[in-house]
Amino acid sequence: MTRRILPRARALLTMAAMASSVAALSACTSAPPAVPDPTEDPVLGHIHALDYDPESRRTYASAHNGVWVVPTDELPETYPGGGLGPSVATQVAGRAQDTMGFTVARPGLLLGSGHPDPEDQPDLTPPNLGLIASTDGAETWVPVSLRGQIDFHDLETAELPDGELRIYGHDASDATVRVSDDTGGSWRAVASIQARDLAADPQRPDRLYATTAQGLVRSDDAGATFTAVPDAPPLYLVTVTDDGEILGIDTDGVIHRYDGTTWTPHGRTDGVPEAFSYVGGAAPWLLIADQRGLIATDDFGDTVTTLLPMAG
């Protein structure tokens, strides 16, 4: 599916970038980001989300201690970013921003939410970043909307028929799903749901999945109402492929695939997984953060490659 940054989105990002630049000119020059020591294991902290950007061919992990570029240099070419990237995880811009919600919305467009770097506390009460965006690989972020108001713990996107970008966000403060149909410019609150994870169907923008304590649920009206998915395993994390297949990890760590007819179990995680993402490529590559560390698999977890071992 071809993705592009819309003129309206560009305008939002450009205005925010101009405001950010003016502020930067009046501030003192900051110290350059620290160069990671290849002899030391990087400490990411809790990993909130994983995603891949086809424009930069970088794989990202958003964590409690910033956004990181994940090493994929030892993966084969069947992985979209295989053979590229640093040999160790690298903290982008040396910034320890707690990026709770994170997604590659379109090639070259990253969206995030969460809390500012402890050393860069702006005048925010509460200290919530709202929706932020980056077009330079997380080197810099600009505010888009809801600054100082919302802390999204999950962000999902889907292309609308008119070419606009729909954004689903799970508001951590009141467990409300909020929806924007204009690339984050304005929002409406829809269902209130205690969800661990959200997943939007890229082929059906009105369809949104959520994992709950009661099981997997689905909305076909853009998050306004949810109903249980019949016969689904008790999924903890969920994602949807470009073809609409459902992939999920259940509460016992088993990875499941649903082709529209049958749920098929495959490999399993080690302990409770923190993050889960579908990358695709020449093989069905998945990224998982669990007790082993950050891993990649091209056979739904039957075999895995460790990209970054568990710290400690």
Side-chain angles (χ1 to χ4, degrees), residues 46-50 196-197 211 234-238 248-256 267-277 287-295 310:
H46 177 75
I47 295 176
H48 301 304
L50 301 165
R196 172 58 182 84
D197 197 20
T211 60
L235 298 184
Y236 181 67
L237 298 177
V238 65
I249 303 174
D250 71 17
T251 51
D252 290 324
V254 178
I255 300 170
H256 296 266
R268 64 189 308 144
T269 64
D270 184 354
V272 178
E274 294 182 348
F276 176 52
S277 180
L287 300 171
I288 302 170
D290 65 9
Q291 292 300 311
R292 290 167 291 191
L294 203 163
I295 64 171
M310 185 71 160

Side-chain angles (χ1 to χ4, degrees), residues 236-260:
Y236 181 67
L237 298 177
V238 65
T239 189
V240 182
T241 72
D242 292 337
D243 296 326
E245 287 191 343
I246 306 172
L247 305 175
I249 303 174
D250 71 17
T251 51
D252 290 324
V254 178
I255 300 170
H256 296 266
R257 177 187 181 191
Y258 183 67
D259 60 6

Side-chain angles (χ1 to χ4, degrees), residues 3-14 16 51-58 60 67 101-112 131-144 155-159 163-167 182-185:
R3 293 177 173 178
R4 66 189 191 282
I5 299 176
L6 303 172
R8 187 171 187 175
R10 286 187 184 276
L12 284 169
L13 298 179
T14 300
D51 214 341
Y52 169 78
D53 180 8
E55 180 173 289
S56 65
R57 298 187 68 190
R58 285 181 168 185
Y60 292 100
V67 175
F102 176 85
T103 188
V104 178
R106 288 187 170 121
L109 175 60
L110 313 183
L111 297 178
L131 181 70
I132 56 177
S134 175
T135 56
D136 60 4
E139 289 286 338
T140 60
W141 292 89
V142 295
V144 178
L155 290 169
E156 291 287 320
T157 61
E159 195 93 9
E164 283 279 9
L165 183 67
R166 171 173 287 166
I167 306 173
D182 56 5
T183 318

